[in-house]
Amino acid sequence: MSHFGLGKAGRSRMAYAIALIALLAAALVLGIGWIREHAGASSQRHEALAYRLAFHAADLRDTDFAAAKKLTIAAFKIRPDEQTRGRLIDTLLQGRSTPLPSAVTESVALSAAARSALIGDDTEAEVWDLTSWLDPEITEKTWALSSLEGDPDGQTAVRLSPDGRTAITGGGKSAAMVWDLGDPAKPVQSATLPGKKDASPGSLALSADGSRAAIGDSKGDLIVWDLSDMSRPRRVSVTKAHDSHIADLALSSDGRVAVTSALDGTVRSWDLGDSASPAKTADLSYPTNIQTAVAMSADGGTVLLGRQNRLEMWRLGTGSLPTPAAHIDAPMAYVDGLSLTSDGRTALVTGESSSGFLLDLSKPLGPVHLARLKGEGQEISSSVLSTDGAFALTAQSGGTTLWDLRDLTKIVADPEAVACPDGFGLGISKAEWLRYTGESDWSEFAGADWDTLPSCRIRVT
């Protein structure tokens, strides 16, 4: 008897069994490898197809939105990753945008509930009632109600109080102007706000109730005005804030906190509690020769700065020095426009791009890209986000666009549910499929006898 207690026949059966197990193991390994290789190739093919569809969709957004929407949905269904998800969110928001037929596109301002807006350029500012534009059931849209004549030497800024009843225009070579928009169809120029000789108002800001205005001029002065009586404005202080032109200015809703930004790159925060004697509270940036855009939350507690490649968030505490809260990579190379919601949690960032970018700043150390707002034309020249974040305006060479963001939270949370409320979506014909996919196999995503592929019913097997 052998060492294992088996005879010759037993040893043969044992050897056969071992060999069979080895063969089965080898086959299993090869099978797993083939499956993985096949799955990897299939995944790459789906990725390429999804991105191809998303690319075509982006091309079609301005000319055939229905086609763009169904191709974007198809891209997401085939390859549901962050890139196709972002494209779907952007497309859904594009469907909630409305070009306004305005001939001026240099500067924009928005009331709190987006019921009214100012759209300005070098010579005038149009007053718009946006009510009809936000209601799809109103077919007769209201165009500009009136026009505010600007500085004959050019104006570059418009500001509107949250209630839409007070406006300031300026930025040319002479005084800023205060307007009573109680009747927006018949605006009244109630006063002028003269500056120093040879100094022009470069940036403007209004408190929430319209009773206080702040102006930053081309000589670096910060000028505070009391507008309690709009027909008789009272200049309460003039402070040398910078050594160069003040290019941007933000004011808290109560008018007690300000942040100024100059062309030399300096940024400073100010306590305007005693408006007759503004006090500098901090230097938020030192000379860099890089212009900085600024925005502020309603309570003056959060400040956002935007410059080359970077955003900075600061906290301005009462009775304490401002502290940096976060440094954030900017979504474009150069930032020249910033807006914050009143709570400081959502930002609209614009600059050297044809798009604006919405960011969730509720967690400063981990900001979240929410959506991209691609407007009409080239680089956005001016933008504004409503205080509640429900609306936005962007202006550029191709025109001014009104964005309805009331469904933004729902869209970002589940774009597929918003895009496919009925579970079917717009149908893609076989001809369209071949045109946009480059003759990809239709049967992988649709039944062989189908004439149309419902975009929301695509399933990848």
Side-chain angles (χ1 to χ4, degrees):
M1 184 175 289
S2 71
H3 178 72
F4 292 99
L6 294 174
K8 184 176 180 181
R11 290 197 299 272
S12 295
R13 287 194 296 272
M14 177 67 73
Y16 177 78
I18 292 172
L20 182 60
I21 291 171
L23 286 173
L24 289 173
L28 181 61
V29 169
L30 289 173
I32 291 173
W34 182 87
I35 291 171
R36 286 178 175 172
E37 182 179 350
H38 180 74
S42 179
S43 177
Q44 290 177 0
R45 183 164 45 82
H46 289 161
E47 180 181 54
L49 176 59
Y51 293 169
R52 183 187 183 102
L53 290 171
F55 175 80
H56 283 300
D59 261 359
L60 291 168
R61 273 187 203 163
D62 295 334
T63 57
D64 190 344
F65 181 76
K69 182 177 179 180
K70 61 188 176 185
L71 293 183
T72 310
I73 294 171
F76 179 74
K77 298 290 285 185
I78 292 169
R79 177 78 176 189
D81 60 16
E82 283 304 307
Q83 185 167 335
T84 56
R85 181 177 179 276
R87 293 290 182 91
L88 181 54
I89 290 171
D90 297 346
T91 299
L92 292 174
L93 286 178
Q94 190 81 22
R96 288 158 172 75
S97 68
T98 305
L100 298 179
S102 173
V104 293
T105 58
E106 292 296 323
S107 54
V108 291
L110 199 59
S111 67
R115 296 188 64 84
S116 59
L118 291 181
I119 306 175
D121 66 5
D122 288 347
T123 59
E124 64 176 333
E126 295 177 343
V127 182
W128 284 76
D129 180 350
L130 301 180
T131 307
S132 64
W133 296 92
L134 295 171
D135 188 343
E137 295 187 4
I138 299 178
T139 56
E140 293 294 326
K141 305 299 184 183
T142 303
W143 286 35
L145 297 177
S146 58
S147 179
L148 312 180
E149 292 185 7
D151 187 333
D153 294 315
Q155 66 181 21
T156 57
V158 295
R159 293 292 181 269
L160 186 63
S161 61
D163 62 9
R165 298 180 63 87
T166 305
I168 302 180
T169 62
K173 293 183 179 178
S174 56
M177 286 167 270
V178 182
W179 301 85
D180 182 347
L181 303 183
D183 181 351
K186 297 178 181 179
V188 176
Q189 184 183 335
S190 57
T192 58
L193 307 179
K196 282 186 174 181
K197 184 179 180 181
D198 298 327
S200 59
S203 54
L204 313 171
L206 268 175
S207 61
D209 62 2
S211 68
R212 180 175 291 189
I215 297 176
D217 72 16
S218 58
K219 297 293 185 180
D221 287 331
L222 173 62
I223 307 167
V224 179
W225 290 85
D226 182 348
L227 304 182
S228 300
D229 181 349
M230 280 202 302
S231 63
R232 291 185 178 131
R234 183 172 60 90
R235 184 168 56 193
V236 293
S237 64
V238 178
T239 304
K240 185 65 174 176
H242 298 268
D243 293 326
S244 66
H245 185 114
I246 297 178
D248 207 358
L249 169 63
L251 193 66
S252 61
S253 61
D254 61 7
R256 298 175 66 87
V257 180
V259 172
T260 55
S261 168
L263 290 181
D264 63 5
T266 54
V267 181
R268 289 165 183 159
S269 58
W270 302 87
D271 180 353
L272 305 184
D274 180 357
S275 56
S277 301
K280 184 179 78 170
T281 54
D283 283 295
L284 304 184
S285 180
Y286 296 94
T288 58
N289 293 320
I290 299 175
Q291 185 177 336
T292 301
V294 300
M296 183 185 294
S297 60
D299 63 3
T302 300
V303 173
L304 189 65
L305 310 181
R307 53 169 64 91
Q308 198 170 30
N309 300 311
R310 186 175 64 178
L311 302 174
E312 295 178 14
M313 182 179 288
W314 288 77
R315 302 296 190 199
L316 305 186
T318 303
S320 61
L321 290 175
T323 56
H327 288 80
I328 304 164
D329 290 336
M332 71 273 296
Y334 185 79
V335 177
D336 60 18
L338 288 176
S339 291
L340 273 178
T341 51
S342 58
D343 59 11
R345 296 169 67 90
T346 306
L348 173 59
V349 184
T350 56
E352 286 187 343
S353 172
S354 61
S355 301
F357 296 85
L358 289 168
L359 303 179
D360 179 356
L361 303 179
S362 56
K363 297 179 180 178
L365 297 179
V368 176
H369 170 87
L370 296 175
R372 178 181 179 217
L373 307 182
K374 188 179 186 308
E376 305 287 329
Q378 300 302 312
E379 183 177 327
I380 292 176
S381 56
S382 181
S383 60
V384 62
L385 187 64
S386 65
T387 54
D388 60 0
F391 305 94
L393 276 178
T394 56
Q396 51 205 122
S397 58
T400 298
T401 304
L402 171 64
W403 299 85
D404 186 342
L405 306 177
R406 285 175 289 188
D407 290 334
L408 178 63
T409 300
K410 187 187 302 183
I411 290 172
V412 171
D414 193 345
E416 183 180 354
V418 175
C420 303
D422 61 358
F424 284 86
L426 297 171
I428 302 173
S429 68
K430 283 187 176 181
E432 288 176 313
W433 181 264
L434 293 175
R435 184 188 318 147
Y436 295 121
T437 67
E439 302 186 0
S440 175
D441 186 2
W442 165 278
S443 64
E444 187 175 356
F445 308 101
D449 58 341
W450 289 11
D451 293 323
T452 302
L453 173 59
S455 54
C456 293
R457 292 193 66 187
I458 291 176
R459 294 291 183 269
V460 178
T461 57

